[in-house]
Amino acid sequence: MTIRSYEDAHGDNTLEADVVIVGSGPGGAAAARVLAEAGRSVIVVEEGPAQSRFRPNQAHTMRYHMQEGGSMIALGTAAVTVAAGRGVGGGSLINSAMCWRTPDHVLESWTEVLGGDDRFRPDHMAPVYDEIEEIIEVVMTSETIAGENNMIIARGAAALGLEGGLLRRNTPRCQGCGICNFGCPTGGKASVDRNLLPMARAAGAVIQADTKVLDILVEDDRVAGIRGSVRHPDSGEEVGRLTVFAKDVVVSAGAVGTPRLLLQAGLGDRLGPAVGKGLHLHPGNGVFGYREEPVHMWLGATQGAYFEDPDLPDALPHTLSLPPGALLLALGKTGLEAKAQLDLLPHLAGCLVMVSDKGEGTVGVTSEGTAELSYYFADQDLQTMKAGLKRTCDVLLAGGCTRLLVPLAGSEWVDTAEEAYALIENADWTDYKLLYAAHPMATCRMGTDPSTSVIKPSGEAHGLPGLHIMDSSVFPTSLGVNPQLTTMVMATILARGLAAS
Ligand SMILES: Cc1cc2nc3c(=O)[nH]c(=O)nc-3n(C[C@H](O)[C@H](O)[C@H](O)COP(=O)(O)OP(=O)(O)OC[C@H]3O[C@@H](n4cnc5c(N)ncnc54)[C@H](O)[C@@H]3O)c2cc1C
């Protein structure tokens, strides 16, 4: 069975299945594999395209493979760009493939809110992490393809005696071309369209792409299926409609897409006040280092190195790589001043400080069906960011850089860590020049209290039998590590529970 596209679903289409899954990212793919292999008939409905429309440039990626064309912005204390993937494979198509296990202390902090459900305890999650890591071929980034941008961080961390170095990614055949975020052009990345989704299809699952789910059907106080609009991937024009009747609906549309859909479907009141609340983002900001010998940050593993400081448990600094055009913008200059920076670009290394945030926001829906996002920074996160940026300055210098630029603190280059520290201390933090956030999470949380969570620890909604959520929206807190692996692991555990019910 091939993946169905808009060409296979013109006009009115009605299908039936045991389970319909909305979204085919890490969460939806993991759920589809478990449920199909357990013998359930499964239909996965995905808004984005069936076949990769990757071109190695940002415009194509944003148009076809980012939710809402890459235009999602959370307004609140400031304006933060929020990125999420789209297409058969979801965010795994365009992510940097870093694979982290959620630290034990984070999983243990969930015990109370999950009412003692022990399936998410570290020792019970560990074998599922092992299983998923094998399927998605997690490997250590090799020095041969890492590139200098990563090696500077690895060397810097080693020189300072910090834990860190090259990191693990699901890129078994990576050639180090540095454009993971535009989609892997060589098949080197084992995104979920190459493993979990084919496994689901081999067990009979059907994937319908180019179809945006707009409504969730409810009959007799129980979920009954979904209704969606089949759209041409280029023009966006509706070419068909799809109704899937199913006993169980699994929403795996991501931490923006899931609450957006639930609210658009008018289920807000029924599902309770926690829908779309508690948005975490892992906000990040970076430091650039200048090295005499060329670095070419856009070559090598996109994000392949990290370090940790035991004094900063909520900061996870890791590689920042940008293509030349985006790098020029990030330097904060325009016009002739920007032109004067061109010779610098090949010499720059980047490191991003990602914060496990205490700040929170919300996901709502506009009358056009797009996401309405807010986000409010917590002072504690800004303090963590400051301290993390300082430590990052030390690491870049120890790794071979001789000058530093902290864009958040201005566009002035400095030669020493002390000068960079002073800039960081004196920066106007009320500007909130936070660079980027690509990890929306925790917007339909799992828990036992319907006033603070949307789903029970079983994965089923408190307020609607047969509705389940299996994606990055279910985490009870921020993870502190990049979420794709934990999203797959939790969806696997939740889907096993559903399959056994
Ligand atoms: C640029 C970038 C880099 C990243 N790098 C990393 C990394 O290195 N490591 C890591 O662990 N994480 C990384 N992430 C985050 C990671 O990719 C996400 O956390 C993960 O993909 C979340 O999985 P999910 O299943 O919850 O949602 P998603 O991956 O967002 O999948 C949701 C899917 O649902 C579809 N959808 C949404 N609404 C509807 C609807 N109404 N109808 C039908 N379909 C719908 C979307 O098109 C999408 O395909 C990165 C993300 C980005 C954007």
Side-chain angles (χ1 to χ4, degrees):
M1 165 69 74
T2 54
I3 298 173
R4 289 166 56 102
S5 75
Y6 71 99
E7 291 173 300
D8 307 298
H10 278 260
D12 280 324
N13 302 268
T14 302
L15 301 171
E16 270 183 54
D18 294 329
V19 187
V20 59
I21 299 176
V22 183
S24 64
R33 170 236 167 185
V34 168
L35 291 162
E37 288 185 350
R40 301 291 176 100
S41 58
V42 173
I43 298 177
V44 180
V45 184
E46 166 59 49
E47 175 190 350
Q51 286 184 331
S52 170
R53 283 171 183 254
F54 294 136
R55 308 279 186 280
N57 73 60
Q58 200 162 357
H60 270 271
T61 304
M62 289 173 87
R63 174 163 185 187
Y64 293 106
H65 289 296
M66 295 191 75
Q67 289 186 42
E68 300 193 12
S71 67
M72 300 194 297
I73 296 176
L75 297 173
T77 338
V80 191
T81 312
V82 179
R86 177 180 183 268
V88 175
S92 77
L93 297 171
I94 58 157
N95 71 21
S96 303
M98 289 176 276
C99 286
W100 293 91
R101 294 186 179 205
T102 297
D104 288 359
H105 72 270
V106 176
L107 299 177
E108 278 154 7
S109 76
W110 297 353
T111 311
E112 198 182 324
V113 77
L114 298 185
D117 190 316
D118 65 4
R119 290 177 304 159
F120 305 102
R121 274 192 2 217
D123 52 334
H124 289 187
M125 300 262 287
V128 192
Y129 274 115
D130 291 342
E131 176 189 340
I132 296 292
E133 285 179 359
E134 195 178 334
I135 292 172
I136 66 167
E137 301 180 85
V138 177
V139 293
M140 180 58 75
T141 301
S142 100
E143 281 194 28
T144 50
I145 54 93
E148 276 305 298
N149 199 28
N150 290 306
M151 292 311 297
I152 286 170
I153 295 170
R155 285 189 211 112
L160 297 178
L162 292 168
E163 187 178 320
L166 297 179
L167 52 72
R168 299 185 321 144
R169 301 181 307 142
N170 54 325
T171 51
R173 292 164 286 281
C174 180
Q175 297 183 17
C177 54
I179 53 169
C180 294
N181 301 142
F182 301 143
C184 178
T186 64
K189 175 163 70 170
S191 42
V192 298
D193 56 316
R194 296 179 171 272
N195 36 63
L196 293 165
L197 289 172
M199 288 167 85
R201 284 167 55 209
V206 171
I207 301 174
Q208 171 66 54
D210 301 323
T211 304
K212 182 162 189 166
V213 175
L214 301 174
D215 202 5
I216 294 178
L217 307 177
V218 179
E219 275 170 24
D220 300 330
D221 263 351
R222 193 192 154 83
V223 91
I226 60 93
R227 199 164 277 140
S229 166
V230 184
R231 294 173 183 178
H232 192 287
D234 297 320
S235 67
E237 181 194 345
E238 181 174 90
V239 298
R241 282 163 301 283
L242 173 70
T243 304
V244 182
F245 292 110
K247 184 168 155 283
D248 289 291
V249 173
V250 175
V251 184
S252 301
V256 173
T258 289
R260 181 180 60 200
L261 171 60
L262 298 177
L263 294 170
Q264 187 179 24
L267 295 176
D269 287 344
R270 186 187 276 268
L271 296 176
V275 178
K277 300 287 181 352
L279 170 70
H280 287 300
L281 290 176
H282 280 166
N285 212 306
V287 179
F288 295 114
Y290 173 88
R291 196 182 69 166
E292 209 58 57
E293 304 81 41
V295 177
H296 296 121
M297 70 154 66
W298 46 86
L299 296 178
T302 307
Q303 293 185 287
Y306 79 107
F307 71 90
E308 279 176 343
D309 182 334
D311 293 334
L312 295 172
D314 287 334
L316 181 55
H318 54 257
T319 317
L320 167 61
S321 80
L322 294 169
L327 176 57
L328 189 58
L329 283 178
L331 297 182
K333 306 274 190 194
T334 54
L336 289 178
E337 277 191 321
K339 189 176 172 194
Q341 309 265 307
L342 286 176
D343 290 345
L344 281 183
L345 302 186
H347 295 268
L348 301 189
C351 186
L352 176 84
V353 179
M354 184 185 94
V355 172
S356 183
D357 46 338
K358 308 292 176 272
E360 288 190 357
T362 56
V363 179
V365 68
T366 65
S367 52
E368 287 89 44
T370 54
E372 187 164 41
L373 303 172
S374 75
Y375 187 79
Y376 294 88
F377 287 95
D379 187 58
Q380 185 182 339
D381 297 338
L382 297 181
Q383 301 312 324
T384 304
M385 180 70 74
K386 267 189 193 183
L389 289 172
K390 288 180 185 171
R391 207 68 182 116
T392 299
C393 291
D394 300 336
V395 168
L396 289 177
L397 290 174
C401 294
T402 52
R403 292 163 69 204
L404 298 166
L405 175 76
V406 187
L408 187 139
S411 54
E412 186 186 334
W413 283 92
V414 294
D415 299 329
T416 64
E418 289 70 29
E419 288 171 283
Y421 284 11
L423 284 180
I424 292 166
E425 277 305 323
N426 296 330
D428 182 0
W429 287 78
T430 57
D431 278 357
Y432 295 100
K433 289 183 191 144
L434 274 292
L435 187 68
Y436 196 59
H439 299 168
M441 292 171 282
T443 52
C444 287
R445 296 178 180 203
M446 178 189 286
T448 51
D449 179 352
S451 69
T452 54
S453 60
V454 179
I455 59 166
K456 304 170 203 167
S458 66
E460 189 171 33
H462 291 295
L464 186 55
L467 179 74
H468 309 260
I469 301 176
M470 301 184 191
D471 61 16
S472 50
S473 63
V474 307
F475 309 142
T477 62
S478 174
L479 295 188
V481 294
N482 310 57
Q484 67 160 348
L485 184 57
T486 302
T487 304
M488 294 179 220
V489 166
M490 289 189 65
T492 298
I493 293 170
L494 292 172
R496 286 202 170 124
L498 174 58
S501 66

